[in-house]
Structures are given as structure tokens and as C-alpha cells.
Amino acid sequence: MTSTNPFPVVIVTGLSGSGKSTAIRVFEDLGFFCIDGLPSEMSPKLADLILSFDTKYRGLALGMDLRQFEFVDGWGKALEGFAELGITPQVLFLEAKMAELVRRYATTRRPHPLECRNLGLEQALEMEKKLLEPVRRGAVLVLDTTDYSIHDLRRVIQAKWSSLEDVSLGMRVHIITFGFKYGVPSEADLVFDLRFLPNPYFDKSLRPMSGLDKAVSDYVLGNPTGAGFIKRFHEFLLYLLPLYAEEGRYRITLALGCTGGRHRSVSVAESVLATLKEKGYTVSIEHRHMELG
């Protein structure tokens, strides 16, 4: 089968200790289907199999390196296999300065894949560099990760692959509603106090309901205070979340609180949920204290 699927197939490779596993996790967080440690000659068949399905993944990222001893020998055949399928893989090659690679290996205390050939660590790294030079020459992006944090790596990956230009799609937002009388969620990145909004609790007809009910939502957000707030709150979040994404954040937890966590916080949270989903964010919601409020 010839793949016409537009999403990218990325080969993540490079020197051992340069951050390939971290890069794979970045792609995974961004919605790619990821496999690490794949033999090179198997990769075209696997890519074709995955692309033959109606997948919701945003791309395919395959990690390959010298942990599979046939990687270099099979690289040419792998490229031929991709070409026969009409797939053009994009190679991300990671490397780092020798001193940094040695430091990382000293920290992890793991053996280099080539050390079993009676080579010392530095000799193994030098040999690996020579063996992988043909792969490096074909890379669409070569990154020296010596001074990179995971956030730096995320930013570069997002900037390189055009399918990631809409950084919002890589951002996961979890919304928690809570009651202040039960405690603020400890996992929250941002906490918003909504106790300034009109409180349905004092309306006997609305008290048994929750913010999931339209009557309560209209009461909270249908007045000038609520309407003005929710408009500005949506604008604020839509401005703020891409800034977090640009800094490498892929998950944000918003905690929205009112007194009991049943009326005001739930009404606002459901409104935020609808807006963020409409804008393409991956959003989940948890009404933590709604049944207690």
C-alpha cells in the first residue's frame, strides 16, 4: 500500500545518551504514535500498517539506534522500503558533546551499546559517531542537546514540524472544580477564586441543582457581573495557554473554586470546557466536590 496520509513519519535517532528517549516522550505528549527500539528493516512495514488505519494520531515517531546491532546495516534497506511505500521519513538526529555524554553515562551507570565489544566508553562513543555519520547526513534536523532542557527540546520540535504549528493541540488542559471549604487541589497549576459571582445557593429553588443545570448557569453567568467575567476569562485563557505551550508545557491544571464547589465553579468550568474544546484543545474535567457542596 502507498501511504497518502499527510501526517509525518519521524525517525528519532542519534548518539547514545543524547536524549532520544526524551525526544520520543515529547512526540508522544504531542499526540504521535511512538515506538522506541525498533529494528530499522521493520520500520517501513510498521509505518505502512499504522498509516493504513483511520488513526487519530498526529504522526508516527520511531526510535532507532545502535541498541539494535543491525541498525546501520539495515538503514539503506529501510529507506528503500519507505520509498516503495511512498513514505518520506524525516530524521531527527540528536547528539551532544563528548564530555556531556560521558557525564550522562556516569549518572545513569548504564553501559553503552558498543562497550560489549571490549571498548571503553569514550572509544564506544567515537565509534558510534562514525557508524552513524551516514544517517546523520540524511537528517532534516541535527540537534546538539548538550545544553538542552526538555522544554528546549519541546520548543525545537514544535518549531520544526509544521504539523505542530498549532501548539494548542499539544496542550492538555485539566479542569478541576472544588469547594474552598473542602480544600484547594494540590495538583493545580492555576487557582481561580469565583466566590465574587452571584451565588445560587441563596435561591431555594436553585440550591438543590448544580452548575450542570441551565437554570444555575444562567443565574451565575447571565447577569452583568457573570457575563462580563466569563467573556474576559475566556480571552485570558486563550491568550495564556499558548504562552505556556511555547515554554514547553504540555499539561495545565486549572482549579476553579467557589464555597462548596457545586454551583458557581461548575457553571464557569463547563463554559470554559466548551470554549477550549471549540478551539482545539484536549480538555478533561473533574467536578471534585460537586456532590458535597
Side-chain angles (χ1 to χ4, degrees), residues 178-197:
F178 70 96
F180 275 97
K181 66 181 180 180
Y182 302 114
V184 178
S186 60
E187 67 269 41
D189 296 300
L190 300 170
V191 178
F192 297 93
D193 184 349
L194 304 176
R195 288 175 290 186
F196 62 89
L197 293 170

Side-chain angles (χ1 to χ4, degrees), residues 11-51:
I11 307 299
V12 181
T13 187
L15 302 182
S16 301
S18 61
K20 298 186 301 298
S21 296
T22 299
I24 287 288
R25 288 194 293 270
V26 171
F27 278 109
E28 188 174 44
D29 293 338
L30 293 170
F32 277 57
F33 184 88
C34 300
I35 299 178
D36 195 12
L38 186 71
S40 55
E41 291 191 42
M42 288 181 57
S43 57
K45 294 180 181 179
L46 178 64
D48 189 44
L49 177 64
I50 293 172
L51 293 173

